Amino acid sequence: MGIFARDESRTTLAASRIARQATASLAGLLAGQGKTRSDLAAAMGVSPGRVSQIMSGDANLTVRTLAAVAEALDADVQITFCVRGQSTDAKVCGSTDPLPLRNSGLPAHR
């Protein structure tokens, strides 16, 4: 069993769901900016095949990969943890406001 997993199959399913959410959000951002996957590949300095891997949702999307995509699109990535079954509204899940980081001992980035 993995270090974080109570149940490997549940963790695998959760990872797939998160990857699908990320790629759907990315697809929406690309469409909203009027950009193609080829545009993203050029902006990231990677092959179109690598962007296809990222967009497939099957790739293990690391924080580094998400950051590279965000930088290439001049966008931000927001990750919010929510209790299952509750709204994904920031008021319910926790604000995306960086202020709590200031009190955590971690440097705040704006």
Side-chain angles (χ1 to χ4, degrees):
M1 184 180 287
I3 187 170
F4 296 111
R6 293 186 323 219
D7 179 345
E8 289 289 337
S9 62
R10 284 182 62 185
T11 300
T12 300
L13 288 173
S16 294
R17 184 178 59 250
I18 292 165
R20 284 191 309 274
Q21 289 170 347
T23 56
S25 178
L26 174 55
L29 180 62
L30 283 173
Q33 291 185 351
K35 294 183 178 177
T36 66
R37 291 179 179 200
S38 294
D39 295 331
L40 177 58
M44 291 179 68
V46 299
S47 71
R50 176 62 184 133
V51 171
S52 289
Q53 287 176 335
I54 292 168
M55 297 296 293
S56 74
D58 292 333
N60 184 9
L61 296 176
T62 65
V63 172
R64 181 177 288 280
T65 299
L66 295 174
V69 169
E71 286 303 310
L73 295 174
D74 194 29
D76 291 321
V77 175
Q78 296 180 352
I79 299 172
T80 305
F81 287 85
C82 300
V83 175
R84 276 199 188 108
Q86 291 189 4
S87 168
T88 57
D89 184 321
K91 292 176 187 166
V92 174
C93 294
S95 173
T96 57
D97 183 353
L99 291 177
L101 290 179
R102 289 187 182 153
N103 297 326
S104 69
L106 298 174
H109 176 71
R110 285 202 177 237

